[in-house]
Amino acid sequence: MASLLPGLLLVLAIWGAVLVARHMLQSSVRELLGASFVGQRVVLDGKEVISDDLQILYRWPAMAMRDGLGGFTMLSAQWLCRARDGSYLLAMATGSSKLGDGSVHWSWRQLTGEQARASLRSKRKTYQAVFGQPSAN
């Protein structure tokens, strides 16, 4: 039993390091996305929309691939937003980062109310919080 202890401690140390690295990557991705979203301007249907005026309804978990150098080689994220006039927008981020120097490009798509509802149907609590009724899932 005592001979297993060093191996067990090594496994626990490696697992802890992986968890810490994953948390740091997720934090840096969240920070980069949040900072890059501020001040975005887009013209949809002839109207200028400014990201600061949007209500972010839901953020799907961002996906990022690590580069092993403290950054990531690719990231992808989608946020469901609502404008002041009640219209829905899907904000889609793509980007990369090398040693903390991140670059994010936002693309936008206007959604109908039904498309916005459909995008959240599998997220029952979020659906109810956003639309005030249970999802018809």
Side-chain angles (χ1 to χ4, degrees), residues 44-122:
L44 295 169
D45 287 339
K47 297 183 295 186
E48 183 179 54
V49 178
I50 302 170
S51 62
D52 302 352
D53 296 336
L54 298 174
Q55 177 186 12
I56 299 169
L57 302 174
Y58 187 73
R59 298 172 192 202
W60 282 271
M63 296 189 313
M65 292 180 59
R66 296 175 57 125
D67 66 5
L69 301 172
F72 46 92
T73 58
M74 178 278 304
L75 78 84
S76 175
Q78 296 184 357
W79 295 0
L80 178 63
C81 305
R82 183 169 36 215
R84 289 183 178 169
D85 66 2
S87 62
Y88 296 96
L89 301 168
L90 182 63
M92 300 164 285
T94 56
S96 64
S97 170
K98 293 289 184 193
L99 297 174
D101 180 28
S103 170
V104 176
H105 172 75
W106 288 91
S107 300
W108 300 82
R109 179 172 177 217
Q110 194 158 15
L111 302 177
T112 64
E114 183 53 39
Q115 289 171 322
R117 289 177 189 282
S119 73
L120 292 180
R121 278 208 181 100
S122 65

Side-chain angles (χ1 to χ4, degrees), residues 31-52:
E31 289 172 11
L32 179 61
L33 288 170
S36 68
F37 189 76
V38 174
Q40 289 287 315
R41 294 174 181 271
V42 64
V43 177
L44 295 169
D45 287 339
K47 297 183 295 186
E48 183 179 54
V49 178
I50 302 170
S51 62
D52 302 352

